[in-house]
Amino acid sequence: MTLAELLSACDDLRAAALGDIAAVPSLEAWTELRTHLVGRKGGRVTQLMSALPTLAAEDRRTAGAAINALKDAVEGALDARAAALRAASAGGPALDLTMPGRPAWRGSRHPVTLVIDEITDIFRELGFTIALGPEAETEWYNFGALNFPPDHPAMDMHDTLYLAPGTLLRTHTSPVQVRTMQRWNPPIRVLAPGNVYRRDFFDATHAPAFAQIEGLAIDEGISFADLKATLTHFAKRFYGATTRTRFGPSFFPFTEPSAQMDVEIDLGDGRGLRWVEIMGTGLVHPAVIEAAGLDSQKYSGWAFGMGPGRIAMSRYGIPDIRLLYDSDVRFLEQFA
Amino acid sequence: MLYSHDWLRTLVPHDRSATDLAAMIGRHVATIDALTPLRADLVPIVVARVVEAGRHPNSDHLWVTKVDDGTGALLDVVCGAPNVVAGTLYPFARVGTVMPTGNKGGILIERRKIRGEWSNGMLCSARELGLGEDHDGIMPLEVDVPTGTPLLAALPVGDTCLDVDVLPNRPDLFSQLGMAREVAALTRTRLRPLVDVVASECGGTPVTLPAATRGRDAATAGGVQVRLEDRAGCPRYMAAVVRGVTVGPSPEWLVNRLASVGARSISNVVDVTNYMLHVAGQPMHAFDLARLGQATLVIRGAREGERLLALDGVERALQPGMTVIADAERVAAIAGVIGGRDTEVTATTTDVVLEVAAFDARTTRRTRRALGIQTDAAHRFERGVDAAGTAAALAAAAQLLVAVAGGRVEGIMDVGEAPPPPAPVPLSVTRLGRLLGDTVSAEEVADLLRGIGFATTRDGDTLLVQPPTWRRDVLRDADLVEEVARLRGYDRLPDALTPFRPGAVPEHPFAIVVRRLQGELVASGLHEVRPMPFVRGDDATHVRVANPLAEDEPHLRHTVAESLARRAEYNLTRMEGNVRLFEVGSVFRKSGDRLPVESLHAGVLLMGLRRPPHFTEPEPPAFDAWDARALAERLVPLAHAGSITAVPGSGGGDLWRLQVNGAEVARVFRVELDRPVWAHEAFGIELWVGTLDSADVAAPGTHAAADGARSTSVAHPTYRALPTQPAAEFDLALVLPPEVAAGAVEAVIRAAAGPLLESLRLFDEYRGTGLPDGHRSVAWRLTFRDPSRTLRDKEVEGRRAKIVQTLEKELGIRPRGS
């Protein structure tokens, strides 16, 4: 046999074998066909192998490769056919693998919860735990303990929903600071996420109830430098390692010094990087530490407050705050 | 609060641009909301150089010039100014410019021929740009900038307005002077005295003022008497009598000054009071002396039934507790809030009384709120006006009044007394360094504080700091730490993470439960929502918000499910019927205590298809009660440890009550809502997670000193050994008459089966042919296993016989087909 004859025989056998394999009707017939084609003794492919020694020495390598390729193709086709026959014998026709899988409903966390979870995950690494407090609060926890002087204009910032004289729906999560400091001994590192209430009319940018997240660290020797370090670390984890932060003056009755933290971020509105205020912060006012019955000479600390709703709106491009409350399923599904 | 960059510079002659100044204020004082150029109309004007200037061939007073406006080519421009000099820079309006405010305001500059020569633009005079009255020629610019530079960038013209978000603890910043003090400290420039500033602004010659007539309760001068009766409402009252004024329009500079901070000119006399309000933060009022009964001013409490027709044209009813300024008979002004119509300065006024007072902040605030008005004066008084500054303000105001309206100052009265200066505050420099986390020397601290008017004396580590009279917000060392930190700049403090002790406060157990519930519900295909907890309830049963936003939802909810039902209806109106919602949130019940009982609940609402359609199941079934029960039974153990029992509800929509160790923790029910015919039935779950502790932790100022771990309500699973022996199983199909419940059957089976019964699973229910009317066949699979040996067939058979026998005896029921 010459090399040309052998290669031609390979091609003929390939065409015939693939046709036979596709046509084989049952697993029994398949077994017979397999023996006929690639059986160790007398299989058609095996026979071609035995013709190798008849070739010139320089052609054997080429011929061997051709026969091996033929063998792989035939065996592959046999395996695929066997799988199809087995599936068919298990009942019904072969699967149309282009059809979709069986779906299940996908649930979702609310976008505000997604932001809260992301924030708490970062602070947990820094030794923080979650603290909770009631939404229906006393005036003392909401204002008095937080160094709001009675009848001071600072309270104008909090147009409050009252329940009865002396009780109200908390206007910020800061009462949890006082409750935590009153109950536990330092070191204290807690986050207090929760809903707060203001007497604000409901429009595209304001809601009378919204989420806030408070952070509080109290120990001996805590400084403004610690505040900057922790919150800068947070900003870089939350917005990306290259995010720049800056701190500017601010005022809250319960922090002194008070500050605001701005981050330089791209809000995706086509205006590029710009400075956006994301939180109010500061060293806890000694009067607040004293209101909780701790020694303000021994202990110091810092606190911050953020609005996860606003962050969610900028992060996910939500244009109207009312979407966060409407609970439209088509909106919620986008966060699944 | 608006500040004029130009006005600030007359108070502090610094050399920073408005942009630099704004950045500085933003870093050290307060947030800048906006920076607005007041001469935006000058934007198109550029700086250009006249390269050549030659006589116009057809004119004896015109020039033909070559102008370099920075665009490359030299432009031919015809100019009529006698002072054009080659090589000099001038303001230039290119072709296409609309001329700014000035004597050519609004004119479009076009390319045109002037006496046969083309002119491509216009070289401008100061008057043409609204920058002065000089019309002797074009305006030579002595600046060093490239040609083509916008004029606004090259010249300090075009005032800039800075809109600053002044913080509530800084009433001293509600004036140009207040901000000027900060700017003086930040730029290390000396602040000019107010009287000097006013004198240079109005250009008047200094007026010698009569000495003030002082009195504790009353004083008379210039033919006017002031009596101070309400010392609480007004610690100090000063007034000047000015006779012979001519009321008329204000000079242009005064109109411009007021306009630069957004105020409107009214008349020269009123503008003087407004100028002082804006420059010094001292509200003032001018009375028409001729209209004051018996030329008397009495500062007293308002009387029951008194009324005042105020300047805004509204008549207001006054109440005791308010402070008023009255003449001998009737009220002339509401102290610190608004003046009266009857005594206001009009075009015919000739004699005025200028009031400069320090009204009490709280009284002003209460009065202002009770009357429901806001005025520039009240805004400042209710936050605190520097009572030590009244004399200087009155002197400056009198000076200014005489300069713009003429007249003579005939008397000054000073009644009452300024409150004592703020108490000195000791500051430990070491403690300051510890709180900031940085080392700051005593010298630097003293220097920074001195810059904003604080006096310091040093005693070792301690600085005794005397706040100025206008900084009554500084009460203790923390306030001084803030002053030092902001003046140095927060950005200068270090920000490297240093070792810390992790918090010792255990995680709140509810927080752990909430996370578990959220995880399970999201995995079950539900969407979390965060609606508001307001509902329409009943005053008898629901907690009411005293001042609700919406009268149709004034109550706080009892259940989360009510909120979810409203949200489901919202979705139904948008034709969305597959609504699977949950929320973990607070609910409120009335209680005998001060605060309502506040509990954390998980609420669930299931409505619509159980699964999305698929080609294998084009019409999946809808959620039913069994789905809701199963989900509730999955949720309960995430919140409560113990054995769960489902007790059938009272019927109707009340399906099941789930109990843990006998206590009800959850309910499963049908949800009532407005449902269109195409929508499926809705099912709800309300799970009690726990009651929030809202009692006072400890008395104010005290600590509960709790230590150690808080127990969490959820137990860990405990491993049970895997079985080593085979199980024996059989099925039991029983025919149940209508009155027998499956639960009763199960109880009998369990009792009769004995301890080797490993599991009892109800797997089938059948009604219909072959069964008596109303009867059903219910089938259970029973699995028996002995942990130590293989059960013999005979034993299992015996068990089955015993169970069947007991069922017949106790419930009268038999296996199917027997």
Side-chain angles (χ1 to χ4, degrees), chain A residues 1-7 54-55 59:
Chain A
M1 200 180 248
T2 65
L3 177 63
E5 282 167 355
L6 187 128
L7 291 179
T54 67
L55 291 180
D59 292 337

Side-chain angles (χ1 to χ4, degrees), chain B residues 191-210:
Chain B
L191 191 69
R192 295 173 67 205
L194 189 57
V195 182
D196 289 1
V197 170
V198 169
S200 68
E201 291 259 277
C202 65
T205 47
V207 177
T208 314
L209 298 174

Side-chain angles (χ1 to χ4, degrees), chain A residues 12 38-39 42 46 58-59 78 102 105 116 124 135 138 177 179 196 203 257 284 299 319 329 333:
Chain A
D12 293 347
V38 292
T46 319
E58 67 271 22
D59 292 337
L78 280 167
R102 182 175 289 118
W105 293 125
I116 291 176
R124 273 179 197 289
E135 293 174 13
T138 63
Q177 282 189 28
R179 288 182 174 274
V196 304
D203 61 28
V284 179
Y299 296 113
V329 168
E333 276 168 354

Side-chain angles (χ1 to χ4, degrees), chain A residues 100 105 108 110 113 124 129 135-136 141 156 162 179 181-183 187 199 219 224 228 258 290-291 326-327 329, chain B residues 369 435 476 482 490 493 501 504-505 515 527-528 546-547 567 571 598 609 614 695 697-698 701 703-704 706:
Chain A
W105 293 125
S108 62
H110 191 276
T113 306
R124 273 179 197 289
T129 51
E135 293 174 13
Y141 277 110
D156 261 1
Y162 280 91
R179 288 182 174 274
M181 274 191 275
Q182 254 191 326
R183 184 175 303 277
R199 208 165 179 285
D219 202 353
F224 204 97
K228 277 187 72 178
S258 300
E290 289 153 16
D326 287 345
S327 316
V329 168
Chain B
R369 285 195 144 187
L435 286 171
R476 54 192 293 179
E482 174 169 272
Y490 290 136
L493 292 170
R501 297 203 286 173
V505 181
R515 276 203 302 281
H527 299 296
E528 187 194 20
N547 53 339
R567 296 297 98 211
N571 278 286
E598 181 174 339
L609 300 182
H614 184 245
V697 177
H703 191 260

Side-chain angles (χ1 to χ4, degrees), chain B residues 173-416:
Chain B
L173 293 180
F174 282 112
S175 65
Q176 306 298 308
L177 173 65
M179 186 59 83
R181 289 189 188 113
E182 297 284 325
V183 175
L186 295 172
T187 61
R188 302 197 165 266
T189 312
R190 187 178 286 276
L191 191 69
R192 295 173 67 205
L194 189 57
V195 182
D196 289 1
V197 170
V198 169
S200 68
E201 291 259 277
C202 65
T205 47
V207 177
T208 314
L209 298 174
T213 309
R214 294 179 197 282
R216 194 173 169 280
D217 302 308
T220 304
V224 176
Q225 188 194 34
V226 169
R227 284 207 312 275
L228 176 58
E229 294 178 1
D230 185 359
R231 303 186 68 85
C234 178
R236 187 181 193 186
Y237 194 94
M238 291 187 73
V241 180
V242 186
R243 293 185 197 265
V245 300
T246 310
V247 176
S250 287
E252 196 179 326
W253 72 265
L254 182 52
V255 175
N256 288 340
R257 275 284 179 255
L258 292 176
S260 72
V261 293
R264 196 168 50 88
S265 170
I266 295 165
S267 69
N268 51 4
V269 174
V270 176
D271 287 358
V272 166
T273 64
N274 281 334
Y275 178 94
M276 293 310 299
L277 172 106
H278 289 288
V279 77
Q282 173 66 59
M284 290 193 184
H285 186 67
F287 295 97
D288 184 342
L289 179 50
R291 313 286 285 273
L292 291 174
Q294 297 181 19
T296 301
L297 284 175
V298 187
I299 300 91
R300 60 166 169 84
R303 295 170 189 146
E304 196 69 52
E306 278 187 318
R307 305 180 75 80
L308 175 74
L309 178 63
L311 279 173
D312 58 3
V314 179
E315 191 176 76
R316 293 197 158 77
L318 309 175
Q319 300 151 14
M322 297 177 175
T323 303
V324 297
I325 320 301
D327 62 11
E329 293 102 35
R330 66 214 156 106
V331 177
I334 303 162
V337 180
I338 196 163
R341 235 326 133 73
D342 287 352
T343 53
E344 80 175 304
V345 172
T346 64
T348 57
T349 302
T350 56
D351 302 341
V352 299
V353 180
L354 267 185
E355 164 196 289
V356 184
F359 296 113
D360 178 64
R362 285 190 191 171
T363 311
T364 309
R365 178 178 168 77
R366 268 201 312 274
T367 305
R368 200 269 296 160
R369 285 195 144 187
L371 295 174
I373 40 174
Q374 180 59 285
T375 60
D376 282 343
H379 189 76
R380 287 167 175 78
F381 278 123
E382 69 179 273
R383 285 164 176 77
V385 163
D386 179 18
T390 48
L394 185 64
Q399 166 93 34
L400 184 55
L401 182 63
V402 171
V404 302
R408 309 163 306 280
V409 182
E410 297 199 343
I412 291 181
M413 289 145 283
D414 184 355
V415 188

